[in-house]
């Protein structure tokens, strides 16, 4: 099965590097000419050389000829990208490589693919992973989620590489929600650390944030085991404890009162707002999500957000 990665950001490039070590792979990128000449993505992954099996192109129709298309664009831009290129992409196997909830619709990446490309086979690649680790060949385990069992097994085989080990699930809803909400909790964790509230506060936020992930997933009939796996608990652990996480860094900046580069894509900011709306529409109690939504919308500061969380009524765990 031929593979193409659509999107030359850090994560898309890293996936292409890993996959090209196994089989010929195409990477579609807007700066394809420069990348092809330098044989690396200087802007996003400096020092990570492209293997010989990686072909880089700026011609989307050329890349879209592959049988498996990994779409590595930000969640809030996914719909527009698919819609703009639907003639090329519909009917293909489309693997979303972004995490989040669409702000306007409350849908996750698999659901967006289904809506925009009704003839496509949608899937999602998610789990605890940093682009730099993947690009440098460090061992990483991910989840491939697809509702079609036969295709899920094919994708697992095709996308597993020497350093990428994939586990499969048919629970696309659980994979979507785990990958989305962990970014929100990462912002909260970063904010606690930036404000100097300490490791114990972060541990509490991670634990209660995981409870929110389970509560949201249960409401939408996801498998609770999915949230305990790589796409939920695994990704939560990584993003809440590392400065490599853009969501964590945004939270830290908010907590410390420091400026943050507004050009940096932080999926959890829009996702917090989207999930907060879902929680209100479905009468769900997600206080950490509500606090993060208030932070990113500048309705709350960290002190007010923590006070709101700590003064909630006492309850059984």
């Amino acid at each position: 099965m031929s593979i193409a990665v659509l999107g030359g950001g850090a994560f898309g490039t890293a996936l292409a590097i890993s996959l090209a070590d196994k089989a010929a792979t195409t990477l579609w990128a807007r700066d394809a000419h420069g990348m092809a000449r330098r044989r690396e993505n200087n802007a996003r992954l400096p020092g990570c050389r492209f293997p010989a099996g990686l072909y880089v192109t700026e011609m989307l129709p050329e890349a879209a000829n592959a049988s498996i298309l990994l779409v590595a664009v930000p969640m809030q831009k996914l719909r527009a990208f698919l819609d703009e290129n639907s003639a090329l992409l519909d009917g293909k196997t489309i693997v979303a490589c972004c995490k989040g909830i669409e702000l306007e619709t409350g849908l996750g990446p698999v659901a967006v693919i289904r809506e925009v490309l009704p003839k496509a086979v949608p899937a999602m690649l998610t789990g605890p992973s940093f682009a730099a680790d993947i690009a440098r060949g460090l061992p990483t385990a991910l989840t491939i989620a697809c509702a079609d069992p036969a295709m899920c097994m094919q994708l697992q085989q095709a996308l597993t590489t020497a350093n990428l080990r994939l586990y499969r699930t048919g629970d696309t809803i659980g994979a979507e929600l785990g990958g989305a909400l962990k970014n929100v909790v990462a912002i909260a964790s970063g904010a606690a650390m930036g404000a100097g509230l300490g490791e114990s506060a972060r541990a509490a936020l991670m634990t209660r944030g995981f409870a929110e992930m389970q509560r949201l997933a249960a409401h939408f009939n996801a498998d609770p085991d999915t949230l305990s796996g790589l796409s939920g608990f695994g990704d939560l652990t990584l993003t809440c404890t590392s400065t490599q996480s853009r969501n964590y860094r945004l939270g830290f900046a908010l907590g410390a009162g420091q400026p943050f580069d507004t050009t940096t894509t932080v999926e959890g900011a829009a996702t917090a707002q989207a999930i907060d709306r879902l929680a209100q529409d479905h009468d769900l109690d997600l206080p950490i999500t509500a606090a993060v939504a208030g932070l990113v919308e500048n309705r709350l500061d960290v002190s007010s957000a923590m006070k709101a969380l700590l003064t909630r009524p006492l309850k059984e765990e």
Side-chain angles (χ1 to χ4, degrees):
M1 302 177 78
S2 55
I3 299 171
V5 180
L6 309 183
F11 195 63
T13 302
L15 289 173
I17 289 172
S18 181
L19 290 164
D21 271 334
K22 175 181 179 180
T25 301
T26 299
L27 172 63
W28 173 78
R30 301 190 188 279
D31 184 28
H33 180 72
M35 287 189 195
R37 178 171 49 82
R38 294 185 299 265
R39 298 304 295 170
E40 70 176 64
N41 185 340
N42 277 357
R44 303 294 185 183
L45 291 170
C48 297
R49 299 290 294 171
F50 290 175
L54 180 55
Y55 172 67
V56 189
T57 180
E58 61 185 11
M59 303 298 293
L60 186 58
E62 186 177 21
N65 282 328
S67 52
I68 299 174
L69 303 178
L70 280 68
V71 179
V73 301
M75 179 65 216
Q76 303 306 321
K77 296 181 180 180
L78 178 63
R79 179 181 295 273
F81 176 79
L82 298 178
D83 188 56
E84 181 182 352
N85 301 291
S86 60
L88 289 172
L89 304 179
D90 206 3
K92 297 282 188 175
T93 298
I94 307 291
V95 182
C97 300
C98 53
K99 304 167 186 176
I101 299 296
E102 192 173 48
L103 187 56
E104 296 302 319
T105 66
L107 297 178
V110 174
V112 170
I113 295 170
R114 286 198 183 105
E115 192 168 280
V116 180
L117 305 176
K119 297 178 183 177
V121 178
M124 180 181 182
L125 187 65
T126 185
S129 53
F130 288 136
D133 291 347
I134 295 173
R136 290 177 170 83
L138 299 178
T140 302
L142 298 173
T143 296
I144 184 70
C146 181
D148 182 326
M151 179 54 71
C152 200
M153 291 186 69
Q154 289 182 48
L155 290 171
Q156 182 184 36
Q157 292 292 330
L159 303 179
T160 292
T161 70
N163 70 305
L164 284 181
R165 178 176 173 83
L166 267 59
Y167 291 81
R168 67 180 183 272
T169 180
D171 180 18
T172 58
I173 295 175
E176 285 179 319
L177 295 177
L181 197 47
K182 62 88 187 179
N183 281 335
V184 178
V185 182
I187 294 174
S189 297
M193 297 303 290
L197 300 181
E199 301 278 359
S200 297
R202 174 166 61 179
L205 285 167
M206 290 174 64
T207 305
R208 297 313 303 164
F210 184 60
E212 290 191 17
M213 291 167 63
Q214 292 176 308
R215 198 175 305 138
L216 182 68
H219 181 80
F220 288 100
N221 299 314
D223 185 342
D225 287 344
T226 305
L227 277 295
S228 298
L230 292 164
S231 61
F233 178 74
D235 216 352
L236 177 75
T237 303
L238 184 69
T239 52
C240 289
T241 58
S242 174
T243 56
Q244 287 193 68
S245 165
R246 289 170 291 183
N247 294 281
Y248 179 88
R249 294 201 307 271
L250 171 63
F252 191 95
L254 289 170
Q258 298 173 352
F260 187 81
D261 183 2
T262 56
T263 65
T264 301
T265 299
V266 181
E267 299 280 29
T271 293
Q273 298 170 71
I275 295 180
D276 189 41
R277 292 177 189 176
L278 280 178
Q280 294 177 47
D281 291 344
H282 293 266
D283 195 25
L284 292 170
D285 185 29
L286 305 180
I288 294 174
T289 300
V292 173
L295 285 175
V296 299
E297 292 170 356
N298 296 314
R299 292 185 286 104
L300 290 175
D301 57 25
V302 173
S303 177
S304 300
M306 289 305 299
K307 182 178 180 180
L309 290 173
L310 291 172
T311 57
R312 282 168 49 81
L314 299 176
K315 60 186 288 188
E316 186 175 20
E317 187 172 32

